Amino acid sequence: MRIYNTLTRTKEEFVPIEKGKVKMYACGITVSGEAHIGHGFQALIYDIVRKYLEKKGYAVTYARNYTDVDDKIIARSRETGIPADKYAEMTIEKIDAVMREMDIDDPTVWLKATENIANIQDFISALIEKGHAYATPCGDVYFDVASFRGYGCLSNRTVEDMLDGVRIENGEEKRNPADFALWKAAKEGEISWHSPWGDGRPGWHIECSAMNRAAFGDQIDIHGGGRDLIFPHHENEIAQTESLTGKRFVKYWTHNGLIKVNGQKMSKSLGNSLLLEDLLKKYTNEAIKFALLSTSYRNDINITDNLFPDAEKHLSEFYRTIAAVEEKFGKGEKGNPEIDERFDRCMDDDFNTALAISDLFGLFKKVAAKLAAGDNSCADDVMQIRKTYSLLGLFKKGAADYLKEVEEKRVKEDIPADVMALAEKRWQAKKEKNWAVADELRKKLDEMGYAVKDAKDGYSVNRK
């Protein structure tokens, strides 16, 4: 198995530090807002990497973090009037819920900055003792970039390049413009903790180094994150950790590509952020995964208007074929090892999900041909496709259930929000046995051109 290593800019044979075991860390979400498609993509990729390594027989310990204190969270706290710690907790709950709706598993270990303050302070104190960091009179602590000779190795930049356009802001007491904050002195009204340098909070970069070391020790096998984290975040992690330990921090640095929307970088300032919660109202989680995994994880993904609808269309066609096979020949018994072997060859090449996804079109073409010819081996093919591709989060549902879910989402998407609101109000009236109101609302919906069909566990709304 070969993995592209950002540090060496080559694909390297994967050999873990400790035989049979993998220590893996991926930078998680700064919880200043809800999860968008970029967060979902990164979480999906490293969930798959973990699962594939486990399939290969490795015992994987996978850690992810939540940055639950930083400038953006404090700003949102001020805007909403909710204390920063409570705001972070609420946002984490929402993110956890939407990731579960995406069917993305939890890591082995969850890490939070606010639960590692002591580890962070110990790490900073050790860096100061070794001469790699310094405290200022106002209570900030900075990392001394000039003290680490390897700075720039990951991003392939020189310190001079990094300093282009960088200025020391008013109130900062850095020795050099490139130095970065390990500890930030508290401003009035901000969340803070006591420290040897005064009340304050951690800088962004130090938390991952400290939490990594607390969870795994001095070295890990794989460190992942979005490509936008290479500099400065991951560059600074290397500087901090290797300055403290004197050892190579990470053996394989991996970075996923970024999300673009119709060719533009996705950002709040452009107003083109796609929230996972909104996408999941329109499309199945499998369709979203199919769309994202159809591109190599290292490449950027351009989300056009057709990306998710096309993925839903292809998956629905595959599920219809599965339904036809299982109806005629059952679930299959032996499977087809060739399908699994081909999948592994794709994944062994730097987790090439794009190639594995493209293989599905040929596989289902063969399955359809076998079905038409009355060859019952197509049931074994479908059985194997289900088993193998479940690692990517695909074909995990019953065919009828999946197709029903697609139709329900399509109907809801086609029906205006005010119509759905009336239908929901009518349903609540029925549950309260307010029959007169329920009948009147049904009549109103009928006049608007919509029919309501009740079932034991809910209702559906359709255009007449």
Side-chain angles (χ1 to χ4, degrees):
M1 182 172 67
R2 295 172 66 79
I3 298 178
Y4 184 84
N5 189 346
T6 306
L7 185 67
T8 61
R9 295 163 190 83
T10 59
K11 287 182 185 177
E12 300 179 4
E13 191 70 23
F14 180 70
V15 181
I17 296 167
E18 185 179 353
K19 187 176 180 180
K21 296 182 179 179
V22 176
K23 297 175 182 178
M24 173 176 155
Y25 180 95
C27 287
I29 302 173
T30 298
V31 294
S32 56
E34 295 182 52
H36 56 61
I37 188 63
H39 297 138
F41 178 47
Q42 195 253 36
L44 172 63
I45 288 300
Y46 290 103
D47 183 40
I48 287 170
V49 168
R50 181 259 297 269
K51 287 172 179 171
Y52 188 66
L53 289 169
E54 288 175 340
K55 183 183 181 186
K56 298 285 284 186
Y58 294 106
V60 181
T61 305
Y62 169 38
R64 281 179 74 80
N65 79 299
Y66 274 130
T67 295
D68 57 347
V69 58
D70 88 326
D71 292 340
K72 292 179 181 178
I73 294 168
I74 291 169
R76 291 293 292 145
S77 169
R78 289 189 181 127
E79 289 171 18
T80 61
I82 302 170
D85 56 344
K86 298 299 181 186
Y87 179 86
E89 286 176 15
M90 290 167 51
T91 308
I92 287 171
E93 285 181 11
K94 290 180 181 178
I95 293 169
D96 283 347
V98 79
M99 289 299 179
R100 291 190 180 105
E101 194 174 347
M102 270 289 287
D103 193 28
I104 294 172
D105 289 345
D106 285 347
T108 318
V109 181
W110 271 121
L111 299 167
K112 295 178 183 176
T114 58
E115 294 175 355
N116 282 270
I117 298 299
N119 292 326
I120 291 168
Q121 291 183 359
D122 289 346
F123 201 112
I124 294 171
S125 294
L127 285 173
I128 293 173
E129 289 173 13
K130 285 177 171 280
H132 292 288
Y134 55 93
T136 68
C138 70
D140 295 321
V141 181
Y142 290 99
F143 183 85
D144 184 358
V145 167
S147 73
F148 181 66
R149 293 183 61 185
Y151 198 73
C153 60
L154 185 67
S155 58
N156 201 27
R157 302 185 188 190
T158 65
V159 174
E160 289 73 22
D161 290 337
M162 299 174 201
L163 288 177
D164 186 28
V166 174
R167 299 289 182 269
I168 296 179
E169 301 292 334
N170 289 337
E172 291 185 328
E173 296 176 307
K174 297 181 181 180
R175 293 176 183 170
N176 296 297
D179 295 350
F180 55 89
L182 303 176
W183 188 260
K184 294 184 176 184
K187 297 175 183 175
E188 187 175 352
E190 287 186 350
I191 186 171
S192 63
W193 290 264
H194 297 305
S195 84
W197 320 286
D199 288 357
R201 58 187 170 85
W204 175 34
H205 312 298
I206 190 64
E207 66 179 67
C208 286
S209 287
M211 289 190 292
N212 251 305
R213 192 159 190 248
F216 294 121
D218 292 346
Q219 297 177 292
I220 63 172
D221 298 286
I222 297 173
H223 194 315
R227 196 174 62 242
D228 55 332
L229 298 182
I230 294 174
F231 182 84
H233 188 51
H234 289 164
E235 195 74 72
N236 291 350
E237 280 192 61
I238 291 173
Q240 294 163 162
T241 304
E242 297 189 4
S243 291
L244 180 65
T245 68
K247 301 174 184 177
R248 180 174 173 178
F249 172 32
V250 176
K251 192 168 184 182
Y252 304 93
W253 282 96
T254 63
H255 293 91
N256 60 274
L258 306 180
I259 300 289
K260 295 181 178 179
V261 180
N262 293 317
Q264 287 188 305
K265 180 182 177 182
M266 189 177 69
S267 69
K268 286 184 181 178
S269 61
L270 293 173
N272 63 354
S273 291
L274 298 174
L275 296 182
L276 272 180
E277 182 182 15
D278 292 339
L279 284 170
L280 285 163
K281 291 175 182 175
K282 298 180 180 181
Y283 310 106
T284 63
N285 61 36
E286 291 197 14
I288 295 171
K289 291 177 184 181
F290 186 96
L292 297 176
L293 298 175
S294 294
T295 298
S296 168
Y297 80 92
R298 289 194 289 118
N299 294 341
D300 290 347
I301 296 176
N302 185 31
I303 296 180
T304 61
D305 293 341
N306 294 326
L307 181 67
F308 297 118
D310 284 350
E312 198 79 271
K313 176 186 171 185
H314 293 315
L315 266 180
S316 294
E317 290 172 353
F318 294 155
Y319 265 110
R320 287 189 191 98
T321 301
I322 290 172
V325 168
E326 292 181 344
E327 182 179 356
K328 187 169 184 178
F329 295 116
K331 300 288 188 179
E333 297 177 359
K334 298 182 295 184
N336 184 341
E338 290 181 7
I339 292 172
D340 199 56
E341 289 165 7
R342 168 64 182 170
F343 177 85
D344 284 0
R345 286 197 295 274
C346 296
M347 295 295 285
D348 280 346
D349 183 15
D350 194 32
F351 311 107
N352 195 338
T353 61
L355 185 55
I357 293 285
S358 68
D359 280 351
L360 284 170
F361 292 92
L363 286 172
F364 275 100
K365 187 175 181 180
K366 291 177 181 176
V367 167
K370 287 182 178 182
L371 176 64
D375 182 349
N376 64 4
S377 68
C378 62
D380 289 320
D381 293 344
V382 165
M383 175 188 178
Q384 191 65 61
I385 290 170
R386 277 191 177 280
K387 182 178 179 181
T388 295
Y389 280 82
S390 67
L391 191 143
L392 303 185
L394 304 178
F395 309 116
K396 296 177 72 173
K397 301 174 182 177
D401 292 337
Y402 181 84
L403 295 170
K404 181 183 178 184
E405 183 183 354
V406 171
E407 180 60 20
E408 287 174 348
K409 287 180 182 291
R410 184 194 67 77
V411 168
K412 286 182 180 178
E413 181 64 17
D414 288 346
I415 294 173
D418 60 335
V419 173
M420 292 304 298
L422 278 178
E424 180 61 24
K425 190 174 179 181
R426 176 191 165 273
W427 179 251
Q428 293 301 322
K430 276 199 70 177
K431 288 203 295 185
E432 294 165 5
K433 297 184 179 181
N434 195 336
W435 311 118
V437 171
D439 288 344
E440 187 159 339
L441 289 171
R442 177 189 280 276
K443 184 179 178 181
K444 189 171 183 179
L445 286 163
D446 185 70
E447 290 170 354
M448 295 169 72
Y450 294 91
V452 183
K453 184 178 180 180
D454 291 327
K456 185 178 180 181
D457 57 349
Y459 61 92
S460 61
V461 184
N462 296 284
R463 281 192 173 89
K464 291 171 66 178

